[in-house]
Amino acid sequence: MSGYQLAENVSLAGRNTFRVAARAAMMADVSRADALAELFEFAMLREGPVLVLGEGSNLLFAGDFPGVAICLTMAGVRIVQDDGDTALVRADAGMNWNDLVGWTLARGLCGLENMALIPGTVGAAPIQNIGAYGVEVGEFIETVEAFQRDTGQIKRIAAADCAFAYRDSVFKRESERWVVTAIELRLPRRRELRLDYAGVKEELAAMGVDTPRAVHVAEAISRIRTRKLPNPAVLGNAGSFFKNPLVAAATADALKAAHPALPVFPAGEGQRKLSAGWLIEAAGWKGFREGDAGVAPQHALVLVNHGQATGAQLLDLARRIAASVQERFGVALEPEPRIIGARFDGGA
């Protein structure tokens, strides 16, 4: 058994949540991490572009992909260690992220509840250092297992060497070098719940929960996300399209003085995080539509494909949004999804 299957000229329309039409010159579905060494012996992988594709929930195809798209299908999960207070959970890259959240909560483990219903796979989680409602996955990752393309070996990388930052990691910055195959998370059985992010306490109250547990927080956040964000199965999208911008504290103070309703969050020494959604909505883009490319009516941070929009049309819209926010507020927006086939170059 080779552990992989190859196919040529494969449609990617069903492999990205924007549901834009695009094709890959070659697709490799990989069912075993140890098959990657043999796969990368092929000249087309050594010499041409390679894209590791999960559920395509953090990608925008602005054109066809001329190289090999790799889809990791292994999706196992197990507890490696358990000392009663914490457990070390190992999950394969192909597992659905929300399925992992539910799996850990069902075993009495805390930590991932604020990240319930984030789309995508486990393998994408450390690359993007995914996060939501005040929590990031990098807080819990102990080890990332990844195939190192230049050596042909699978390496175990400690969290301290992953360079986790806001929606960033060494795996994102060195995407040509690594293929994430699994992660190991250290999760506690008891921890103080983080409930101070917008709407969480109110949702728990609406659910009639007075003494919340982690499973209640996951349910509350799932309900909020379901209301705020369009379902990609119904309306093509990749969730939040722009990162919340980080600015100097003085810049944030000046913007807050000029726009008192602007949400501002602490973000480390001398920095503040602004709400990209608020900036975009204030610039008049919420609910905008041009052809089939548009902005979700319920959330200004989400670009949507109403049917037949191309990736190039969605990218053009994103650039125009960023340029208008830059012009009005002096704040540059960066896209959160990875853009394939073009550069963003917007807003600056």
Side-chain angles (χ1 to χ4, degrees), residues 33-55:
D34 61 5
L36 287 167
E38 179 182 324
L39 185 64
F40 272 88
E41 286 298 313
F42 285 105
M44 59 189 175
L45 280 93
R46 289 200 314 270
E47 299 164 6
V50 173
L51 172 67
V52 181
L53 186 61
E55 294 179 356

Side-chain angles (χ1 to χ4, degrees), residues 178-193:
W178 301 104
V179 179
V180 174
T181 56
I183 64 173
E184 293 178 0
L185 304 128
R186 178 71 64 180
L187 299 175
R189 285 204 155 76
R190 285 168 295 280
R191 120 186 242 270
E192 186 175 347
L193 299 174

